[in-house]
Amino acid sequence: MDIDKLFKTPKLPAGGNKRRMPDTPTPEMLKRMKVEAPNSSTFTQPSPPQSNGSSSKGKSRATTVHDEGDEEGDVDMAESFAPGNDADYFVEEDDEGRFFGGGLTNEQKTILSIFEKAEDEGTQEDHEELSITSIRRMLLRFERAVDKNQDQRSKYPDDPSKFIDSEADLDSSIKSLLPLSQEPVLAYPELVKSGVVLKLIGLMSHENADIMIDVVQLIHELIDEDAGAENEDEEDAGEGREAAIKSLVDALLENSIMELLVDNLPRLNESEESDRQGVFDIMGIFESILGINAQLGQHLVSKTAILPWLLKRIQAKAHEGNRVYAAEILSILLDNRLNRLAFGKTDGVETALKVLSQYRRRNPVDADEEEFMGNVFDALCAALSEPEIKKLFLDAEGIDLMVLMLKDKKDSSPQCIKLLDFAMSGPAGTACCETFVEALGLKTLFSAFMGKSSKKGKNASPAISDSTVHILGAFSSLFSNLPSDSRPRMRLLAKFVENNYEKVDRLLDLREGAALRLAAIDKEIAEERKQMKEDGEEVGEVEEDRWYLRRFDGGLYTMQTVDYVLAWVCMEDDGARAHAQQMLKRKGRTLKDVVDVLKVFRDNLDEDESAAASLEDASPPQKEILGGLIAFLEGC
């Protein structure tokens, strides 16, 4: 046996890492290595094996090797013992001596601290309180950036490298004005007075569309209805904030902001994220301006091409947020007669029906698309208040489409019933009523009225409850507008007579529910009236009108519509009248209760009879009809 080989000193490893960690070092070993950081390396040589094969129990001989002049390497070596070079491995220790570490090296910790320091500085700047001085400084910086960019663009129109830096500064200066929306009362007067509004308006025609988008985003933030709301504490502060926003909007309107916004819409390509956000902000500006002054909608439609753009936008095949927003803006704009007529002249009725036809065979895929569908229905409902639009709706076969969609019983059914109610209402709805009966719509409508068209599951009750109001409105319009002794009217009356007057029973059930709700409201009003008298306060017209509106919303409207339909049925058919009287008697009521409700209906009816007089096939005014019904029931 070669004794020299057994006791041969092992070679030292090359490089700075002169020691190697065992595969599973103990915490005591790590702590000792970290604290001591020895300058020498001790290697224990194994004892020679005994002749009997057992291990030696004696002391082993150790050979020590000293490395002179390499202390720095030993320190680096000690730090490298941590797994993954974790800088905090030896620092983070719990009470039981376990090590966890931070998972970062010294270099990574240095980089992270630099970012955290920069972030803290930015946050400190963001939260710096705005003052008149700081606001004026921001505005001056913005004006200088605009002037510099314009100067360099005019000098080097064909060399973007000459003005690209000034363009970046301009972009930054525009975005730096966003914090002004936090202090409208303080900042907006300075905005208007300094002439910055004119600079912003000028940038709406900037050659770089990104700059224009920045300006649009800034204006959207500045005139948003919630601008500065987080900083207001009192009601007076809220009034001052609203006045400041209005003053800024007035300054923008004086410089034709709405025309410029519409002119910039074709510049934007919505396949790009920034451009898509720009379109959203433009529509947001329109919504904010119309929220401040709804009458500006007429100016927007008459002086710009916004209506054709909106109609084209809602026809897009891809469904996303801007399509929903476009339908909402469209429904907002149709709040006055001139805009509704313009809607009809730009083929708005046919376009809306084309969009809605896709929901005949399928339901909206999500809540956003359901909102979009509702907005388009709302736009059509608003437009159908005009006789001219009713004719266009009829010519476009809108009645037939709604009946087909009702038969398919999709999620659009409640909206279809609502639209039919608007189409058939009023003296100008006679033609629509006749077309509805001829299109076999009575069967589907009465099925919905009796609750047979609801889809199982999925919140059927709220939809039917809402639809029932519009179904009653449709019944009211059919009785008012269908000519006496005509075939469509006979078919309508037959529906109420069939199956042992089950539709009459349904009417009486609805009436009883509305009466219970109204009784609770009347009790509250009586207590308020009594309290006012005890306090010596006079009950004037304002209070009476307010109470009437409460009663109207609390069940009176339903009772009026039910009693109007019930009165027609009683007058048209003796058997139906006898059945109704019998059922009313069981509930402790008579036809006199119906008469009392109809009198209140008539006395509070405010209708424009000029529209009816201008149409040849118009039905008599509703006040005249109510007078005849009341007279008949009083004679029973």
Side-chain angles (χ1 to χ4, degrees):
M1 179 180 294
D2 190 351
I3 302 299
D4 292 335
K5 288 183 180 181
L6 289 175
F7 293 95
K8 186 176 181 180
T9 304
K11 295 181 180 180
L12 295 176
N17 295 332
K18 297 181 174 58
R19 305 182 190 184
R20 295 184 181 276
M21 288 288 295
D23 291 338
T24 56
T26 64
E28 289 77 17
M29 183 185 299
L30 292 172
K31 194 179 299 183
R32 184 172 64 254
M33 289 177 177
K34 177 64 179 180
V35 175
E36 294 175 359
N39 293 326
S40 63
S41 301
T42 301
F43 296 86
T44 302
Q45 296 187 6
S47 300
Q50 303 297 321
S51 58
N52 57 3
S54 61
S55 60
S56 174
K57 297 181 181 179
K59 294 183 179 179
S60 61
R61 184 167 55 91
T63 303
T64 303
V65 180
H66 296 276
D67 294 334
E68 298 180 356
D70 199 12
E71 295 181 359
E72 184 178 353
D74 287 339
V75 174
D76 293 340
M77 170 194 63
E79 292 181 353
S80 68
F81 284 144
N85 293 329
D86 190 340
D88 295 322
Y89 192 84
F90 298 105
V91 177
E92 297 185 6
E93 175 182 349
D94 65 4
D95 296 336
E96 298 179 2
R98 291 175 297 188
F99 297 88
F100 299 99
L104 298 176
T105 64
N106 283 329
E107 182 181 4
Q108 291 169 336
K109 284 188 66 178
T110 303
I111 295 173
L112 183 61
S113 64
I114 293 173
F115 276 101
E116 288 177 348
K117 183 178 179 181
E119 184 176 319
D120 292 340
E121 291 176 354
T123 304
Q124 187 175 0
E125 292 179 2
D126 291 341
H127 291 290
E128 184 180 355
E129 187 173 350
L130 290 174
S131 63
I132 289 291
T133 303
S134 62
I135 290 171
R136 289 174 179 171
R137 190 184 305 118
M138 293 166 64
L139 298 179
L140 181 60
R141 190 184 306 120
F142 166 73
E143 292 184 80
R144 288 175 178 173
V146 174
D147 294 338
K148 181 179 179 181
N149 180 252
Q150 289 178 345
D151 181 62
Q152 293 191 357
R153 268 191 171 271
S154 61
K155 286 182 179 179
Y156 313 103
D158 300 325
D159 190 359
S161 62
K162 298 291 186 180
F163 57 76
I164 189 170
D165 291 337
S166 67
E167 209 124 297
D169 293 339
L170 177 58
D171 175 82
S172 177
S173 65
I174 294 172
K175 293 177 179 177
S176 70
L177 298 181
L178 288 171
L180 297 182
S181 63
Q182 300 173 7
E183 295 290 346
V185 178
L186 192 64
Y188 291 6
E190 291 295 325
L191 265 174
V192 177
K193 183 171 61 176
S194 64
V196 169
V197 172
L198 290 175
K199 296 282 188 182
L200 292 172
I201 293 295
L203 291 177
M204 292 293 297
S205 303
H206 198 277
E207 292 87 347
N208 188 344
D210 291 335
I211 297 297
M212 181 269 294
I213 292 173
D214 288 342
V215 175
V216 167
Q217 181 186 11
L218 174 62
I219 294 175
H220 184 204
E221 290 293 331
L222 293 177
I223 69 173
D224 187 84
E225 63 177 355
D226 295 328
E230 63 275 7
N231 296 328
E232 70 178 24
D233 299 326
E234 302 175 358
E235 185 176 351
D236 294 339
E239 293 178 357
R241 179 178 64 85
E242 293 175 1
I245 295 175
K246 187 177 185 304
S247 66
L248 178 59
V249 169
D250 291 340
L252 292 169
L253 292 172
E254 289 176 1
N255 293 278
S256 305
I257 181 64
M258 292 198 293
E259 289 86 345
L260 287 169
L261 290 171
V262 176
D263 291 342
N264 274 294
L265 283 171
R267 294 179 62 185
L268 301 176
N269 178 15
E270 292 192 60
S271 61
E272 301 290 337
E273 176 62 30
S274 60
D275 288 22
R276 186 161 57 250
Q277 181 63 40
V279 172
F280 180 87
D281 289 330
I282 288 176
M283 290 190 287
I285 294 173
F286 290 148
E287 184 179 18
S288 297
I289 292 176
L290 294 175
I292 295 173
N293 186 357
Q295 296 179 354
L296 291 171
Q298 183 177 335
H299 174 83
L300 178 60
V301 171
S302 61
K303 300 298 183 181
T304 71
I306 185 62
L307 206 55
W309 184 88
L310 290 173
L311 291 173
K312 180 180 179 181
R313 188 64 187 81
I314 65 174
Q315 295 182 75
K317 293 183 179 180
H319 179 73
E320 33 71 37
N322 283 350
R323 188 176 182 228
V324 180
Y325 210 172
E328 182 178 351
I329 297 298
L330 180 63
S331 64
I332 293 173
L333 287 174
L334 299 183
D335 69 337
N336 63 78
R337 174 173 168 79
L338 292 179
N339 285 1
R340 291 192 284 263
L341 294 179
F343 175 76
K345 292 178 181 178
T346 53
D347 295 330
V349 174
E350 189 169 349
T351 299
L353 289 174
K354 181 180 178 181
V355 171
L356 293 176
S357 63
Q358 63 183 302
Y359 300 110
R360 178 189 170 189
R361 298 294 187 185
R362 71 174 181 88
N363 292 325
V365 296
D366 54 22
D368 285 340
E369 189 172 6
E370 187 174 357
E371 180 184 356
F372 167 76
M373 180 183 72
N375 287 333
V376 178
F377 270 109
D378 289 343
L380 260 183
C381 289
L384 283 170
S385 60
E386 304 299 330
E388 294 86 350
I389 303 299
K390 290 181 189 290
K391 186 177 185 307
L392 292 174
F393 182 74
L394 195 61
D395 294 340
E397 299 182 350
I399 296 290
D400 300 85
L401 176 61
M402 293 301 107
V403 171
L404 290 174
M405 293 176 71
L406 268 178
K407 291 179 179 179
D408 289 326
K409 300 179 182 179
K410 298 296 182 183
D411 290 350
S412 60
S413 295
Q415 298 283 0
C416 294
I417 293 173
K418 176 183 175 182
L419 189 60
L420 287 170
D421 180 19
F422 277 86
M424 295 188 290
S425 64
T430 302
C432 290
C433 289
E434 293 176 343
T435 304
F436 175 75
V437 177
E438 292 172 0
L440 305 179
L442 289 177
K443 180 180 179 180
T444 308
L445 190 64
F446 274 94
S447 177
F449 178 63
M450 299 302 295
K452 298 176 182 177
S453 65
S454 62
K455 305 284 283 185
K456 290 186 177 180
K458 199 176 177 180
N459 300 329
S461 296
I464 291 177
S465 177
D466 183 64
S467 298
T468 300
V469 177
H470 294 294
I471 292 173
L472 292 172
F475 289 161
S476 174
S477 299
L478 288 167
F479 275 113
S480 299
N481 294 330
L482 291 177
S484 300
D485 300 327
S486 64
R487 182 175 178 82
R489 191 179 188 87
M490 293 298 103
R491 293 170 62 181
L492 172 64
L493 187 59
K495 285 292 181 181
F496 282 96
V497 174
E498 67 182 11
N499 297 331
N500 295 323
Y501 306 104
E502 65 175 0
K503 280 79 175 180
V504 176
D505 293 339
R506 171 72 168 147
L507 285 174
L508 294 173
D509 289 341
L510 292 173
R511 188 186 193 282
E512 190 65 21
L516 292 174
R517 296 195 302 272
L518 186 59
I521 299 295
D522 288 339
K523 183 178 180 180
E524 295 175 3
I525 293 174
E527 292 176 356
E528 294 178 14
R529 189 188 299 272
K530 180 181 178 181
Q531 186 64 41
M532 290 182 67
K533 289 182 179 180
E534 291 177 356
D535 296 340
E537 298 180 14
E538 184 179 353
V539 178
E541 293 184 2
V542 176
E543 287 75 19
E544 293 291 351
D545 291 342
R546 179 168 54 85
W547 287 334
Y548 176 77
L549 290 176
R550 280 177 60 186
R551 298 182 73 239
F552 191 80
D553 294 335
L556 182 59
Y557 173 74
T558 302
M559 283 190 67
Q560 288 175 348
T561 311
V562 168
D563 287 350
Y564 183 79
V565 175
L566 190 62
W568 269 115
V569 174
C570 291
M571 190 170 69
E572 295 278 352
D573 188 84
D574 294 339
R577 181 174 69 253
H579 182 79
Q581 288 176 320
Q582 181 181 2
M583 299 303 295
L584 284 169
K585 185 177 180 180
R586 291 181 181 179
K587 300 177 185 293
R589 305 183 188 277
T590 65
L591 288 178
K592 186 180 182 302
D593 296 304
V594 177
V595 171
D596 292 340
V597 172
L598 294 180
K599 285 182 178 179
V600 175
F601 187 11
R602 180 191 60 187
D603 295 341
N604 289 276
L605 191 62
D606 183 20
E607 63 178 358
D608 184 10
E609 299 183 4
S610 60
S614 62
L615 298 171
E616 296 181 359
D617 58 346
S619 61
Q622 195 167 24
K623 273 192 175 182
E624 181 179 334
I625 295 175
L626 282 168
L629 292 174
I630 291 171
F632 173 80
L633 293 180
E634 287 179 335
C636 293

